[in-house]
Amino acid sequence: MPVLAASPSPRNHRSYFIALGLIIALAAAEILATLIHFSAKARAERAATPTTTLAPMASRSAAPPAPSALSTPVSSPIPPSSPTLSASERLLREARALNERGDTANALARLQEASQRDPKNPQVLAEMATIYESIQLFDRSNETWRKIQELGPSAGTLYELADMKLKTGVPAVTANSPEQTITDTAGTPLDNEGIPEGSNFGVTDIATEETPDPEAETNLRLKIAIKARPGVPIDHSKLRIMVLFYDLVDNEKVVPTDADVSYEWMNPKHDWIETNPETLIVTYLRSKTRAGTSEAALSAAAAAVTPGKNSPKPRKRAESNSDSLPSDPGRRKYLGYVIRIFYNDKLQTVRAEPTHLLNDAPNPSP
């Protein structure tokens, strides 16, 4: 039996293609709409980006005025003299460095500026007077020493030094002088006996001996030859010898030593009758493991070196001082010494090594 196949009519073909075209057109329109939407959103974000980045910048730029309003009450409690004092110390250090290099002109310029900032600083004035002496401007040096003298005892040992300078005077050295006048550390001229003019005692020699010691950081001795003026009666009760050692903390700060210090006369009698000069031996011992001596104890020991009385005996290394104080923080090392001899409460002579300790060293305790 024959089978008849139904063939699609031309109308059905057109409907199919029309429907397919509409679907494709709608899909394309949807895709295009999506692209337009995201493109517009991206443009809006790019347009909004400068606004969002400038907002925090504006807030940050507006922040500084708030602290500036608080800066006035914070800075007001600072004393106005603090910058002046620190500037004076800086100028004084610069002047000393320049003077050590031989540049006295610029050193004096720094000191004059420091004196204008702090006119009552005895260390600045003493440094200036010393430089004036070194270049033989004695009128100016005496004028500067007089300023220190006018400060009174508040200038400490520099007041005594200025008083001695003005009493003894500094003779001018002419250009035809065959040699420079010999003086002690304070600049006081020495006579043929090696004693400062107008004094009864002087130091004729100082020998420093350092002893190798595995248990000590520093172990040294000073042998100080002290000479009395021949033919002058000596009252032992009126003679006082001060030998003060100083350390350097962290290569910057000058402080009285906390090492063990002991005194001993080479001649037990030390009366300047059988022997003249007499030799005083002073030992500086910084042990690697020991407590330090307080500044007050050192000053008391130094003041106790009086001829005719028992001299302090060296302490054992294991002993510690009951009145010891905590040491300054930082690394200490030996710097030098200052020797002062008083007779009848009048300064006879001064020796220092290095010489700048006369100005740098703290005043000893009374």
Side-chain angles (χ1 to χ4, degrees), residues 307-361:
K309 299 182 180 180
N310 294 331
S311 302
K313 299 297 182 182
R315 290 183 294 271
K316 296 180 181 179
R317 292 189 185 182
E319 294 178 353
S320 61
N321 300 283
S322 59
D323 57 346
S324 61
L325 297 177
S327 302
D328 289 81
R331 175 68 176 173
R332 280 177 176 256
K333 67 177 182 180
Y334 172 77
L335 176 60
Y337 59 85
V338 176
I339 302 170
R340 293 182 177 89
I341 298 179
F342 296 85
Y343 185 71
N344 200 18
D345 292 331
K346 294 182 180 179
L347 184 64
Q348 302 291 296
T349 188
V350 180
R351 291 299 182 95
E353 179 60 36
T355 57
H356 66 75
L357 278 176
L358 283 182
N359 298 333
D360 291 354

Side-chain angles (χ1 to χ4, degrees), residues 166-189:
L166 294 172
K167 285 180 179 179
T168 59
V170 183
V173 181
T174 62
N176 296 327
S177 297
E179 57 184 18
Q180 190 77 14
T181 302
I182 300 176
T183 66
D184 63 4
T185 307
T188 306

Side-chain angles (χ1 to χ4, degrees), residues 191-362:
D191 58 18
N192 294 333
E193 299 289 342
I195 300 174
E197 298 175 0
S199 298
N200 292 333
F201 286 90
V203 176
T204 57
D205 185 53
I206 302 174
T208 304
E209 300 176 356
E210 186 164 1
T211 304
D213 189 343
E215 298 182 10
E217 294 182 6
T218 306
N219 185 352
L220 59 85
R221 298 196 307 170
L222 292 183
K223 291 184 177 181
I224 309 167
I226 303 173
K227 187 174 183 179
R229 186 173 296 282
V232 177
I234 301 300
D235 185 352
H236 292 169
S237 64
K238 296 181 179 179
L239 179 62
R240 185 163 58 100
I241 303 166
M242 295 185 67
V243 182
L244 298 177
F245 290 101
Y246 292 91
D247 297 334
L248 199 60
V249 178
D250 294 332
N251 292 322
E252 182 175 340
K253 184 181 179 182
V254 179
V255 296
T257 188
D258 62 351
D260 280 328
V261 179
S262 59
Y263 306 82
E264 182 180 5
W265 289 98
M266 185 173 290
N267 177 12
K269 291 185 177 181
H270 50 272
D271 55 7
W272 286 272
I273 296 177
E274 297 179 359
T275 307
N276 192 14
E278 296 282 6
T279 301
L280 176 65
I281 301 174
V282 188
T283 303
Y284 172 105
L285 177 62
R286 176 173 295 283
S287 178
K288 292 181 179 179
T289 55
R290 56 166 292 279
T293 306
S294 69
E295 179 182 350
L298 291 174
S299 298
V305 184
T306 304
K309 299 182 180 180
N310 294 331
S311 302
K313 299 297 182 182
R315 290 183 294 271
K316 296 180 181 179
R317 292 189 185 182
E319 294 178 353
S320 61
N321 300 283
S322 59
D323 57 346
S324 61
L325 297 177
S327 302
D328 289 81
R331 175 68 176 173
R332 280 177 176 256
K333 67 177 182 180
Y334 172 77
L335 176 60
Y337 59 85
V338 176
I339 302 170
R340 293 182 177 89
I341 298 179
F342 296 85
Y343 185 71
N344 200 18
D345 292 331
K346 294 182 180 179
L347 184 64
Q348 302 291 296
T349 188
V350 180
R351 291 299 182 95
E353 179 60 36
T355 57
H356 66 75
L357 278 176
L358 283 182
N359 298 333
D360 291 354

Side-chain angles (χ1 to χ4, degrees), residues 27-250:
E30 186 175 353
I31 293 171
L32 182 60
T34 302
L35 291 174
I36 291 173
H37 170 73
F38 283 107
S39 176
K41 184 178 181 180
R43 282 197 300 270
E45 290 178 354
R46 283 196 299 269
T49 300
T51 304
T52 57
T53 56
L54 288 176
M57 291 178 63
S59 63
R60 285 194 299 267
S61 63
S68 64
L70 297 175
S71 61
T72 302
V74 171
S75 60
S76 59
I78 299 176
S81 59
S82 296
T84 303
L85 293 176
S86 62
S88 299
E89 290 180 2
R90 176 180 57 80
L91 291 167
L92 179 59
R93 290 185 181 183
E94 292 177 2
R96 286 171 178 162
L98 290 167
N99 188 36
E100 290 177 359
R101 295 198 296 265
D103 190 354
T104 55
N106 284 321
L108 283 172
R110 297 288 198 286
L111 291 171
Q112 287 167 357
E113 183 180 349
S115 182
Q116 290 176 358
R117 293 174 178 268
D118 191 3
K120 293 186 178 181
N121 189 323
Q123 293 185 347
V124 172
L125 295 173
E127 190 74 20
M128 192 183 305
T130 303
I131 294 179
Y132 281 141
E133 286 180 2
S134 68
I135 59 178
Q136 301 181 18
L137 294 178
F138 300 114
D139 290 341
R140 293 189 179 182
S141 69
N142 288 336
E143 179 184 351
T144 309
W145 286 120
R146 193 168 291 108
K147 290 180 180 179
I148 298 176
Q149 189 184 46
E150 292 172 354
L151 295 177
S154 62
T157 55
L158 292 177
Y159 167 73
E160 298 173 351
L161 180 61
D163 188 60
M164 186 177 69
K165 287 277 191 179
L166 294 172
K167 285 180 179 179
T168 59
V170 183
V173 181
T174 62
N176 296 327
S177 297
E179 57 184 18
Q180 190 77 14
T181 302
I182 300 176
T183 66
D184 63 4
T185 307
T188 306
L190 305 179
D191 58 18
N192 294 333
E193 299 289 342
I195 300 174
E197 298 175 0
S199 298
N200 292 333
F201 286 90
V203 176
T204 57
D205 185 53
I206 302 174
T208 304
E209 300 176 356
E210 186 164 1
T211 304
D213 189 343
E215 298 182 10
E217 294 182 6
T218 306
N219 185 352
L220 59 85
R221 298 196 307 170
L222 292 183
K223 291 184 177 181
I224 309 167
I226 303 173
K227 187 174 183 179
R229 186 173 296 282
V232 177
I234 301 300
D235 185 352
H236 292 169
S237 64
K238 296 181 179 179
L239 179 62
R240 185 163 58 100
I241 303 166
M242 295 185 67
V243 182
L244 298 177
F245 290 101
Y246 292 91
D247 297 334
L248 199 60
V249 178
D250 294 332

